[in-house]
Amino acid sequence: MSNSGKAFSSSIGKKLVMGITGLFLILYLIIHCFLNSLIFVNDGGLTFNEGAHFMATNWLIRAMEVVLFLGFIVHIVQSARLTIENRAARPVKYAYNDGNANSKWYSRSMGLLGTILLIFLIVHLSNFWVVSRFTGIPTTDANGHDDLYAVMKLTFQNVWIVILYVLAMVSLAYHLLHGFPSAFQTMGWNHKKYTPIIKKVGFWYSIIIPLIFALMPIAVYAGLI
Amino acid sequence: MSTGNMNLTLKVWRQKNSKDQGRLVDYKVSDISPDMSFLEMFDVLNEQLISKGEEPIVFDHDCREGICGMCSMFINGRPHGPKQGITTCQLHMRSFKDGDTIVVEPWRAQAFPVIKDLSVDRSSFDRIIAAGGFISVNTGSAQDANNIPIPKQDADAAFEAAACIGCGACVATCKNASAMLFVSAKISQLAHLPQGQPERYRRVQSMVAQMDAEGFGNCTNTGACEAECPKGISLENIALMNRDYYSAKFLKEEEIH
Ligand code: SF4
Ligand code: FES
């Protein structure tokens, strides 16, 4: 290896770290979305609690949880570092810059969208993760599992929480709209035939996953589940 | 040279030297012909300033036909002005309307310090080229053109990348002032050709290292560079550069730096 120690601190290496952690988080979202969708099963949350119980007790999942946290932390810390460096690369700003003429607003606002997501993440973790892992879930369901479903229904009675969640999912959609195809470009995969497919898959992924997530607090608040 | 009927207000960045703070100054120009190039309009303005005993505006230009890459100018928020695929010298006043106000600023980047007014120091690009944007061969009489067979797609890709004129519009428009498009074009034009292979992986590492050392920002794939490049250099070149960089760093054995 030719001095690859320096590889990750170079501009391209830093991009690679963002791309890989981003793709990892994208994969994670699929699993998270699938499991949470179990709340739509019409059985008073038994299936959902079953899934939550599995996630909380399976040792492999617990190990992955550590990796997941690392993925989030690296993605966030690296982006903060990149943002600071990129600001410094243009110390005097333009008096007038017509950014919309050549790029999408959300591509230029990944930092802002990411910050909204970070705030959401903190609230979200304290709503559910902290409760299920540390402070404890007060009730159990008919199967004797922790009733996370009840916690969720209670949490989403608060209209502000619902608004925050929905806003965050809109941010997530735009964050993914740029991040999904961008990760592939960073990995060096730009191909006349496959890039249009990646973009199409990325587009639908970015719409569908956040939409399903957003429907959860909305459905609960509207009394549909 | 008052041949037309356009009257314009210009807000032009004036800066005495690299230390000066600089500011936008308003100028009026009248009777501008729509057939003038943007630079010719600046010539008229400068004549006006000279005859009033004021200092003319310094701006870069050379060939005035879109091939040298010298002309710069960030016009109404975009490098080389409102049109796509052209340089400032190829921009004509018919792209504006009578009575318009036009803001003209220099390229802005840490790695492109302002020398004076609209002229910036782009020697950071030269240093990146010097770090590896070449092939090492003994000069002599040229060999026969068909001695080394090159597949047409590769030749085309190399030529497309070689169209880069080093103007720096990509850096100027990038929200991160990243030079990735320029550097990738210079890497790609050689990576596609047999003559570029011996130094291919050494080149990508040294040029990227030099790019980083010059203080350009990090690419976030917004694609603004590709949209504004007067020569249509594609983001595919950046992907190729990334691939070459990863294989150099993670797959190649030899000690390069
Ligand atoms: S890549 Fe395009 S915009 Fe950048 S320096 Fe080359 S010609 Fe100019
Ligand atoms: S002056 Fe040479 S490209 Fe414009």
Side-chain angles (χ1 to χ4, degrees):
Chain A
M1 259 199 245
S2 53
N3 208 353
S4 50
K6 277 199 193 132
F8 288 110
S9 57
S10 71
S11 52
I12 297 184
K14 282 179 274 188
K15 273 161 64 102
L16 182 65
V17 172
M18 288 306 284
I20 290 178
T21 49
L23 280 180
F24 171 67
L25 296 175
I26 282 173
L27 281 177
Y28 160 72
L29 277 187
I30 299 178
I31 303 168
H32 188 14
C33 189
F34 169 74
L35 279 167
N36 282 33
S37 301
L38 297 178
I39 65 163
F40 295 117
V41 178
N42 199 5
D43 64 355
L46 287 181
T47 319
F48 173 72
N49 286 341
E50 182 86 44
H53 176 75
F54 171 76
M55 296 301 279
T57 48
N58 185 288
W59 66 268
L60 189 69
I61 303 286
R62 296 306 296 269
M64 276 310 287
E65 198 176 70
V66 178
V67 181
L68 180 65
F69 268 91
L70 277 178
F72 269 112
I73 291 168
V74 171
H75 195 76
I76 293 164
V77 170
Q78 185 82 310
S79 72
R81 201 172 138 204
L82 284 167
T83 307
I84 293 167
E85 284 181 15
N86 290 345
R87 292 236 171 111
R90 176 164 295 133
V92 184
K93 307 285 168 235
Y94 288 107
Y96 177 49
N97 192 351
D98 187 5
N100 288 327
N102 50 41
S103 53
K104 296 271 186 282
W105 72 266
Y106 51 83
S107 292
R108 300 191 307 275
S109 312
M110 291 298 275
L112 175 71
L113 295 167
T115 307
I116 297 175
L117 289 172
L118 178 59
I119 295 169
F120 161 76
L121 191 64
I122 294 167
V123 175
H124 180 54
L125 284 177
S126 66
N127 283 346
F128 297 108
W129 185 75
V130 172
V131 174
S132 70
R133 291 283 188 281
F134 300 105
T135 50
I137 292 171
T139 52
T140 47
D141 65 9
N143 293 338
H145 294 319
D146 281 349
D147 201 352
L148 189 60
Y149 184 77
V151 175
M152 179 205 63
K153 282 189 78 166
L154 190 68
T155 307
F156 292 151
Q157 298 310 318
N158 183 336
V159 68
W160 295 110
I161 296 277
V162 175
I163 290 174
L164 174 70
Y165 272 57
V166 172
L167 264 181
M169 288 310 107
V170 174
S171 307
L172 178 64
Y174 281 111
H175 200 74
L176 289 169
L177 226 38
H178 173 82
F180 193 106
S182 179
F184 289 91
Q185 162 77 8
T186 293
M187 315 260 279
W189 202 20
N190 187 327
H191 190 280
K192 289 234 159 34
K193 183 168 157 199
Y194 298 114
T195 298
I197 301 175
I198 291 171
K199 287 199 171 147
K200 217 166 262 161
V201 173
F203 175 80
W204 287 111
Y205 177 94
S206 312
I207 303 289
I208 292 169
I209 299 278
L211 185 67
I212 296 176
F213 274 128
L215 284 177
M216 298 172 190
I218 293 175
V220 172
Y221 189 75
L224 300 175
I225 39 179
Chain B
M1 232 176 89
S2 304
T3 48
N5 49 12
M6 291 175 79
N7 298 316
L8 303 159
T9 307
L10 299 169
K11 289 179 178 295
V12 183
W13 186 259
R14 301 298 312 255
Q15 185 173 338
K16 282 197 181 65
N17 51 47
S18 56
K19 307 247 153 29
D20 183 25
Q21 261 225 305
R23 66 201 193 287
L24 285 172
V25 178
D26 287 11
Y27 296 100
K28 296 237 181 270
V29 285
S30 42
D31 304 328
I32 294 296
S33 157
D35 298 330
M36 276 180 192
S37 81
F38 200 80
L39 297 186
E40 282 166 338
M41 184 270 292
F42 257 75
D43 293 337
V44 171
L45 172 59
N46 270 347
E47 290 293 335
Q48 229 171 274
L49 292 178
I50 291 167
S51 65
K52 279 199 281 184
E54 287 176 37
E55 212 176 324
I57 301 160
V58 172
F59 62 91
D60 278 323
H61 61 104
D62 189 9
C63 71
R64 296 210 177 193
E65 56 178 359
I67 55 172
C68 75
M70 262 321 268
C71 58
S72 44
M73 295 196 189
F74 205 76
I75 303 163
N76 278 349
R78 297 178 65 185
H80 298 303
K83 291 272 150 109
Q84 282 201 320
I86 56 166
T87 53
T88 300
C89 57
Q90 295 170 299
L91 175 67
H92 287 85
M93 295 316 294
R94 53 179 166 270
S95 300
F96 299 90
K97 287 194 308 292
D98 182 33
D100 273 0
T101 299
I102 307 172
V103 184
V104 188
E105 295 175 76
W107 285 176
R108 293 198 189 281
Q110 168 74 34
F112 286 167
V114 172
I115 299 170
K116 193 178 164 90
D117 297 337
L118 301 172
S119 169
V120 298
D121 180 356
R122 282 171 280 188
S123 56
S124 45
F125 269 14
D126 300 339
R127 289 188 291 274
I128 294 173
I129 298 286
F134 51 79
I135 54 167
S136 306
V137 284
N138 295 324
T139 51
S141 54
Q143 57 178 328
D144 185 73
N146 290 326
N147 260 2
I148 307 171
I150 300 171
K152 171 138 179 14
Q153 324 66 297
D154 291 346
D156 286 349
F159 273 122
E160 272 167 34
C164 166
I165 52 177
C167 62
C170 43
V171 175
T173 197
C174 174
K175 78 178 253 290
N176 312 312
S178 163
M180 286 254 180
L181 194 66
F182 164 78
V183 177
S184 71
K186 298 303 173 195
I187 282 168
S188 167
Q189 66 182 6
L190 298 172
H192 280 109
L193 298 176
Q195 293 90 334
Q197 300 314 308
E199 289 154 307
R200 181 170 182 174
Y201 297 101
R202 178 186 303 266
R203 175 180 308 115
V204 67
Q205 296 184 81
S206 354
M207 289 181 78
V208 169
Q210 188 61 37
M211 166 177 82
D212 293 351
E214 295 292 347
F216 290 103
N218 307 284
C219 170
T220 57
N221 300 326
T222 70
C225 53
E226 182 185 55
E228 295 291 7
C229 172
K231 298 298 159 186
I233 302 296
S234 151
L235 291 181
E236 285 171 31
N237 294 297
I238 297 186
L240 176 138
M241 172 173 70
N242 293 350
R243 288 199 299 276
D244 276 12
Y245 189 80
Y246 304 144
S247 29
K249 287 291 188 194
F250 303 127
L251 304 175
K252 303 285 163 194
E253 303 274 348
E254 75 261 42
E255 185 68 45
I256 288 180
H257 280 309

